[in-house]
Amino acid sequence: LKLNQFKKVVAVRNPFDLMVSHYWMRLEKEDKWLKRFNINSFSDFVKFLANSEQQGITSEIRLHSFVDQCHDLEIIRYETYDLQAKDILVQFSEGMPNYIDQEDRCVRFNENELLKEYAVRYKRKNAGLRPLDYRRMYDSYTKDAVAKLFHWDLKTFDYEF
């Protein structure tokens, strides 16, 4: 099989939200990367990534090269994932009986579910509680730095802070 024969779907996410999520994921996993580079806050994390741009460290969370190389790509937004993913699964599964047999297969957590998940996930990390609104993690420097790092994504997918 060739790559161009597959159906390709990618979920895009607001880069400001994505950076907060990426930071908290690294905290959750007690990533040695944070300790090695003396990263003790979200601000430190953004500063490090902004200064490391030339080394390709942010490439794992950026979509630019992936989207540019794919044709016939279905793009869904993380913010409306539950609605768009169901539509795409139904479209891709035509002629495949019982492929989508559960209503909740493509449902995102609501705010209460997220708060419960965050309380369990980050409690043992002594890092406080991850805010639901990513904007609470930002100051003027981090906002500008992330905007520069993800200028293509912000423009291409029409995201704002």
Side-chain angles (χ1 to χ4, degrees), residues 103-153:
E103 268 302 302
D104 62 347
R105 192 172 277 196
C106 299
V107 176
R108 293 179 59 216
F109 281 165
N110 64 36
E111 286 187 12
N112 288 332
E113 291 167 330
L114 273 176
L115 285 171
K116 287 178 187 174
E117 175 70 18
Y118 290 170
V120 170
R121 185 181 294 184
Y122 303 117
K123 182 179 180 182
R124 62 188 180 279
K125 308 304 177 204
N126 199 23
L129 183 63
R130 176 187 169 167
L132 287 179
D133 185 350
Y134 65 85
R135 293 172 194 91
R136 293 182 52 209
M137 297 286 295
Y138 283 86
D139 58 27
S140 60
Y141 170 78
T142 54
K143 180 181 172 184
D144 290 344
V146 170
K148 287 177 187 171
L149 280 170
F150 291 92
H151 64 278
W152 182 89
D153 306 71

Side-chain angles (χ1 to χ4, degrees), residues 24-149:
W24 282 91
M25 178 199 67
R26 288 192 180 268
L27 275 180
E28 174 192 8
K29 294 182 179 204
E30 297 177 351
D31 197 318
K32 293 176 185 170
W33 186 84
L34 297 175
K35 290 179 185 175
R36 183 178 338 143
F37 296 106
N38 198 29
I39 297 171
N40 299 306
S41 68
F42 180 68
S43 183
D44 290 345
F45 179 70
V46 172
K47 285 176 188 172
F48 176 79
L49 291 178
N51 293 328
S52 305
E53 173 65 10
Q54 310 85 319
Q55 299 169 21
I57 291 174
T58 59
S59 63
E60 69 185 66
I61 56 175
R62 297 178 70 198
L63 292 173
H64 184 267
S65 60
F66 178 75
V67 171
D68 277 354
Q69 294 176 24
C70 289
H71 303 285
D72 193 28
L73 180 67
E74 292 284 339
I75 298 173
I76 60 176
R77 294 172 79 91
Y78 173 79
E79 299 79 11
T80 54
Y81 170 84
D82 45 356
L83 300 173
Q84 290 182 289
K86 278 185 186 177
D87 291 344
I88 287 173
L89 284 174
V90 167
Q91 174 189 347
F92 287 172
S93 66
E94 287 180 13
M96 298 169 73
N98 300 322
Y99 183 72
I100 301 177
D101 57 358
Q102 298 175 13
E103 268 302 302
D104 62 347
R105 192 172 277 196
C106 299
V107 176
R108 293 179 59 216
F109 281 165
N110 64 36
E111 286 187 12
N112 288 332
E113 291 167 330
L114 273 176
L115 285 171
K116 287 178 187 174
E117 175 70 18
Y118 290 170
V120 170
R121 185 181 294 184
Y122 303 117
K123 182 179 180 182
R124 62 188 180 279
K125 308 304 177 204
N126 199 23
L129 183 63
R130 176 187 169 167
L132 287 179
D133 185 350
Y134 65 85
R135 293 172 194 91
R136 293 182 52 209
M137 297 286 295
Y138 283 86
D139 58 27
S140 60
Y141 170 78
T142 54
K143 180 181 172 184
D144 290 344
V146 170
K148 287 177 187 171
L149 280 170

Side-chain angles (χ1 to χ4, degrees), residues 10-26:
V10 65
V12 297
R13 187 173 185 180
N14 184 315
F16 294 105
D17 190 16
L18 178 66
M19 284 294 285
V20 169
S21 184
H22 196 65
Y23 169 72
W24 282 91
M25 178 199 67
R26 288 192 180 268

